[in-house]
Amino acid sequence: MSAKPTQETKHRVTQLRNVINDLRYRYHVLDDPSVTDAHYDSLMRELVAIEEQYPSLKTEDSPSQRVGGEPLKKFEQVKHQIPMLSLNDAFDEVELKAWDERMKRMVPEASYNYYSEIKMDGLAISLVYDNGQLKTAATRGDGLVGEDVTANIKTIRAIPLRLRESKQTAPYLKGLLEVRGEVYMPKQAFDKLNKERAAQNLPLFANPRNASAGSIRQLNPKITASRKLGFMAYQVIIAPTHPKLLKQHHQEHELAQELGFVSNGNNKLCSNLDQIVKFWHQMEKKRAKLPYQIDGLVIGVDDLRLRERLGVVGKAPRSAIAFKWPAEEVTTVVEDIAVQVGRTGAITPVAHLRPVEVAGSTVSRATLHNQNEIDRKDIRIGDTVVIRKAGDVIPEVVSVVKDLRPRHTKPYKIPKTCPICGSLVEQKPGEAVMRCTNPNCFSIQRRQLQHFVSKAAFDMEGLGPKILDRLIEEGLIKSFADLFELKLGDVEGLDRFGEKSAANIIQTIQSHKQITLARFLYALGIRNVGYETAVDLADFIVGKLPHHGTEIARHKSDAAFLGLLSQTTQDEWNSIKDVGPVVAQSIYNYFRDSKHINFLRDLIHQGVIITLPPKITANKEGVTGKSFVFTGTLESLTRDEAKEKVRKLGGEISESVSKNTDYVVAGAEPGSKLEKAEKLGVSVLTEAQYKKLIT
Ligand code: IVH
């Protein structure tokens, strides 16, 4: 049997506890760790050893109590002394303003200051202290009755088991004091936890909030202890028996810190809505870089008496509101899964999603990493999935909503042959990634894409080789049509693509959807078809098209166009001037391949508009081969009619004046095009002169 502890041992225990508590305070609250973890652990071991030897020395609030005791059978219920309310949401300035106006209509004479605090995305917890010692920790439950999770909460080091004593805290230490705040799981701990769970084939937590809730509503405190949870206080409820020393909500945060809690250091007092909105935008930018997840701000009236006067409506106080940012997680549908070949031949499966807004931008792609990831999450084509996009991170599929899975889906398997070059795909033992066995595969698609965007083709200046490589490697583009499908949210997250340049990339692509037929044919990269041949092909195709409009676009003339391409014989191609048998053969082979026709259809469906050269019905000297620009209003015919006449005679119409322009036809009230023509010395025709030329 253990002997009675000596006075000296008792003293040592008290000292150890004080030192350990102080180290905890420095580390968590002051964010100023003064000693190493090993140092802390060593003191803790000594304390635990003494308490083991002399159980009579154990106390409920000893820091040794954090290790996590015996598993519980069930959680007891706890009635909250004061209901735990919820908050109404505002998602933009207009809603914030409406909230402010509601309050000011109700209590117009008050002066309003606002405390803007960070809204942690975790789990609300109420902590009740009796004479400075943690008695009960409870979840919110239905707001009136929650669950007793004290044993679990004690394992969280950011929560003091005993409140700190100081001059400021002294008036509050006697009797009951309640502190409310949010338990959360840091992002790093969350990632680590999910990695471990993946390795053990356990289901993953969808987000840090679920992980923290799962860790608290957990009957075995040892498991909670292993989860690295944090806590931030946002409310101190002072019993009516205590002196009413606090007048403002921000003082609750100051007091909470004095008492030994962490309160968010980003919180800010604001004196008007403009300041709040500015802060809201600032924090949204900072959000992704914070080590924990947040989903908005909580804006509350600072004056506590005013809070009381404003009261409660339904389950929410009138005096506070959750000012949230667009969700970082949304659901959408996997329309297809495509595989992509990277520089090293690595095959990356990519989900093509129904475009959806997430965290403020539209997303249409999400990497699925590899076959193991697809298997683990069981992602199938047709599935409704949860997509996550946090700040600078590339969008990812978090999980599948299995209840919404359509019938007859099959698990997805990466094809055995490469979609780019048809070579075999292999997976080395012990590697998760599959690779195309053709070492030149990446360079094939890279070369094709570079050609597609080049100056004589789609002319997407700004989409240089580096950017293209990156887009290919991230699995964002495989085919030309993919380019036009890209959304801002798909590229925003890539390193070195700041917000601006990501937007520029999308803008460049989207503003180059219109292209002449010759350029278009050239862009396809058909073997042996250079630009000059493409021009000849374009003239030939136009001559054959049944109804000749000015462009090919979805539902306009695409069917006739695609039919013509796929049905033209090798001999017919060969009949074009300057097209010999070898060239005719490769053109024929290209368009006979239904894969290519489908791909052209995709492009047109993505909104690519192919403009057609005029069908030349007659030649006229001075018009055929000349370039015309029209400006101002014509009297005897419309501008479109006038243009059509030029086209029929083999002339070209352009929208802007350059030194290559042959004539500018100026009607009444001509625009700046006339000035430009004069500056460049381009011939200017009156309406009468124009008519003379074409008749
Ligand atoms: S004040 C009447 N402050 O957000 C409720 N809540 O949407 C007073 N939350 O249930 C809550 N951070 O779980 C407040 N700094 C903060 C918060 C915060 C996170 C959570 C809390 C609450 C929910 C309301």
Side-chain angles (χ1 to χ4, degrees):
M1 273 283 69
S2 55
K4 263 192 177 286
T6 60
Q7 224 26 59
E8 202 181 333
T9 307
K10 282 187 189 164
H11 184 61
R12 178 76 180 166
V13 164
T14 310
Q15 272 185 318
L16 278 170
R17 284 179 188 156
N18 286 344
V19 171
I20 291 172
N21 281 339
D22 195 54
L23 290 177
R24 181 207 76 84
Y25 176 72
R26 280 173 165 281
Y27 181 87
H28 288 282
V29 183
L30 303 183
D31 202 11
D32 172 27
S34 48
V35 299
T36 62
D37 281 3
H39 177 152
Y40 180 95
D41 292 344
S42 163
L43 297 177
M44 185 69 106
R45 267 198 304 277
E46 183 186 345
L47 175 64
V48 171
I50 302 177
E51 288 179 351
E52 290 289 305
Q53 198 181 352
Y54 305 106
S56 67
L57 290 183
K58 272 193 196 167
T59 62
E60 251 182 76
D61 61 1
S62 169
S64 63
Q65 298 306 298
R66 292 189 188 279
V67 287
E70 293 304 303
L72 310 175
K73 294 232 161 35
K74 67 176 186 76
F75 295 117
E76 300 297 331
Q77 298 212 316
V78 184
K79 187 175 177 308
H80 298 299
Q81 287 309 304
I82 297 173
M84 288 182 84
L85 301 174
S86 53
L87 291 176
N88 293 325
D89 296 327
F91 285 96
D92 54 37
E93 286 182 55
V94 177
E95 290 176 3
L96 184 75
K97 196 144 190 291
W99 163 72
D100 193 49
E101 282 166 0
R102 270 196 305 277
M103 291 192 295
K104 288 177 176 165
R105 260 200 307 277
M106 214 177 138
V107 186
E109 69 280 10
S111 75
Y112 286 77
N113 274 308
Y114 312 85
Y115 196 57
S116 303
E117 50 191 282
I118 307 305
K119 188 171 183 314
M120 304 293 295
D121 201 7
L123 181 73
I125 291 289
S126 139
L127 306 168
V128 176
Y129 290 82
D130 190 1
N131 286 327
Q133 188 177 321
L134 177 62
K135 271 283 154 331
T136 318
T139 60
R140 176 172 181 276
D142 63 1
L144 300 174
V145 177
E147 284 175 329
D148 185 337
V149 289
T150 316
N152 291 338
I153 287 297
K154 277 186 164 177
T155 68
I156 302 175
R157 282 203 204 165
I159 294 177
L161 301 181
R162 161 161 289 283
L163 298 175
R164 284 180 76 246
E165 291 183 39
S166 73
K167 214 162 92 214
Q168 288 101 313
T169 66
Y172 306 101
L173 295 181
K174 275 223 188 72
L176 295 178
L177 181 90
E178 182 177 349
V179 174
R180 290 178 181 176
E182 200 85 345
V183 165
Y184 66 93
M185 182 176 287
K187 289 175 186 167
Q188 216 183 355
F190 171 77
D191 291 341
K192 191 158 165 267
L193 174 63
N194 263 353
K195 270 200 193 110
E196 286 163 11
R197 290 175 74 86
Q200 297 167 43
N201 263 328
L202 291 170
L204 302 190
F205 287 112
N207 51 49
R209 182 169 47 84
N210 288 2
S212 40
S215 307
I216 291 298
R217 301 192 63 260
Q218 159 58 260
L219 291 167
N220 184 352
K222 290 231 163 45
I223 296 184
T224 313
S226 72
R227 293 281 169 86
K228 306 272 179 281
L229 298 169
F231 179 83
M232 288 207 201
Y234 53 68
Q235 208 179 359
V236 181
I237 300 172
I238 293 164
T241 47
H242 286 127
K244 289 217 173 329
L245 297 178
L246 301 192
K247 303 254 183 290
Q248 288 140 347
H249 176 63
H250 79 265
Q251 295 172 330
E252 292 176 35
H253 281 267
E254 289 166 3
L255 176 61
Q257 292 192 37
E258 277 299 311
L259 289 165
F261 295 91
V262 187
S263 130
N264 201 306
N266 293 294
N267 296 352
K268 189 178 161 81
L269 258 176
C270 297
S271 51
N272 56 47
L273 294 198
D274 285 347
Q275 284 178 13
I276 297 172
V277 171
K278 196 167 157 217
F279 181 53
W280 186 60
H281 286 305
Q282 274 169 359
M283 285 311 301
E284 186 180 15
K285 289 217 180 78
K286 233 175 123 175
R287 174 187 191 190
K289 292 190 191 78
L290 293 174
Y292 41 78
Q293 198 156 306
I294 65 178
D295 58 349
L297 301 179
V298 173
I299 314 295
V301 166
D302 199 34
D303 184 322
L304 293 175
R305 291 250 324 269
L306 183 51
R307 280 192 179 215
E308 237 164 76
R309 282 183 69 189
L310 287 163
V312 173
V313 57
K315 281 191 166 187
R318 272 201 196 82
S319 55
I321 194 154
F323 191 16
K324 292 192 180 170
W325 298 298
E328 290 184 320
E329 270 183 29
V330 298
T331 56
T332 187
V333 173
V334 177
E335 293 184 327
D336 195 9
I337 298 178
V339 305
Q340 174 52 43
V341 188
R343 191 185 299 267
T344 59
I347 301 263
T348 312
V350 177
H352 286 211
L353 307 166
R354 183 174 296 164
V356 65
E357 272 271 309
V358 49
S361 55
T362 307
V363 160
S364 73
R365 298 280 191 271
T367 175
L368 300 178
H369 304 288
N370 54 47
Q371 185 72 55
N372 294 356
E373 281 283 303
I374 296 179
D375 293 346
R376 200 163 49 70
K377 295 178 183 162
D378 189 14
I379 300 165
R380 307 181 184 189
I381 296 170
D383 268 345
T384 298
V385 289
V386 179
I387 300 297
R388 182 172 169 74
K389 178 181 174 285
D392 299 341
V393 177
I394 299 168
E396 60 171 354
V397 173
V398 177
S399 58
V400 173
V401 186
K402 294 257 169 71
D403 291 341
L404 291 176
R405 173 168 285 167
R407 269 190 260 168
H408 311 304
T409 59
K410 282 195 296 256
Y412 178 83
K413 290 286 167 223
I414 292 178
K416 300 234 167 0
T417 55
C418 172
I420 305 291
C421 71
S423 311
L424 272 181
V425 163
E426 67 169 10
Q427 184 174 16
K428 293 223 169 86
E431 275 192 15
V433 4
M434 296 179 181
R435 288 179 206 281
C436 171
T437 48
N438 171 4
N440 297 320
C441 187
F442 178 76
S443 37
I444 298 172
Q445 57 171 332
R446 164 180 211 241
R447 196 164 359 98
Q448 284 174 347
L449 280 161
Q450 285 180 0
H451 176 78
F452 188 76
V453 303
S454 67
K455 192 142 184 62
F458 271 82
D459 191 19
M460 293 181 184
E461 209 189 335
L463 225 64
K466 275 199 186 134
I467 292 177
L468 280 182
D469 283 1
R470 192 69 205 285
L471 295 177
I472 300 172
E473 290 206 285
E474 292 295 342
L476 292 169
I477 49 169
K478 179 179 86 189
S479 69
F480 305 147
D482 285 346
L483 269 179
F484 296 101
E485 237 180 276
L486 282 185
K487 302 280 183 285
L488 183 57
D490 298 332
V491 293
E492 239 173 8
L494 305 183
D495 296 349
R496 288 183 284 122
F497 287 11
E499 204 176 290
K500 184 94 177 293
S501 56
N504 284 347
I505 289 167
I506 300 298
Q507 152 74 16
T508 301
I509 297 170
Q510 290 302 319
S511 62
H512 285 79
K513 281 185 161 173
Q514 190 159 325
I515 187 166
T516 65
L517 179 57
R519 279 171 172 270
F520 181 78
L521 293 168
Y522 172 70
L524 298 179
I526 304 167
R527 194 183 292 179
N528 301 316
V529 177
Y531 187 72
E532 291 312 319
T533 309
V535 172
D536 296 338
L537 284 183
D539 285 340
F540 170 81
I541 290 165
V542 165
K544 288 240 159 189
L545 277 178
H547 308 290
H548 179 194
T550 55
E551 59 189 35
I552 289 166
R554 187 175 185 186
H555 301 316
K556 254 184 150 176
S557 34
D558 55 338
F561 174 63
L562 297 174
L564 177 74
L565 294 179
S566 59
Q567 278 151 31
T568 302
T569 64
Q570 195 170 329
D571 283 345
E572 284 173 295
W573 292 123
N574 200 175
S575 72
I576 302 172
K577 80 166 169 45
D578 294 342
V579 173
V582 175
V583 180
Q585 167 98 56
S586 59
I587 300 169
Y588 176 76
N589 287 348
Y590 186 92
F591 290 120
R592 286 300 288 184
D593 188 338
S594 61
K595 201 171 69 202
H596 291 143
I597 297 295
N598 286 337
F599 147 71
L600 297 190
R601 188 176 295 115
D602 283 351
L603 278 176
I604 296 168
H605 276 227
Q606 284 305 326
V608 169
I609 295 172
I610 305 164
T611 58
L612 299 175
K615 204 175 219 172
I616 302 171
T617 46
N619 276 330
K620 179 136 199 324
E621 205 179 328
V623 182
T624 311
K626 302 282 183 202
S627 147
F628 287 70
V629 173
F630 284 82
T631 179
T633 318
L634 302 176
E635 256 169 38
S636 59
L637 73 179
T638 69
R639 227 199 258 186
D640 280 343
E641 289 164 350
K643 288 179 179 175
E644 195 50 31
K645 290 203 158 116
V646 171
R647 286 202 191 92
K648 285 207 171 129
L649 293 172
E652 264 180 46
I653 303 297
S654 166
E655 288 310 319
S656 59
V657 181
S658 75
K659 59 181 193 309
N660 298 327
T661 309
D662 293 297
Y663 301 109
V664 169
V665 180
E669 292 175 43
S672 62
K673 290 175 189 170
L674 178 60
E675 281 168 38
K676 185 138 187 225
E678 282 162 354
K679 213 190 256 165
L680 293 173
V682 173
S683 309
V684 177
L685 303 180
T686 61
E687 184 169 343
Q689 286 169 322
Y690 155 79
K691 283 176 96 175
K692 217 163 162 196
L693 190 66
I694 56 156
T695 43

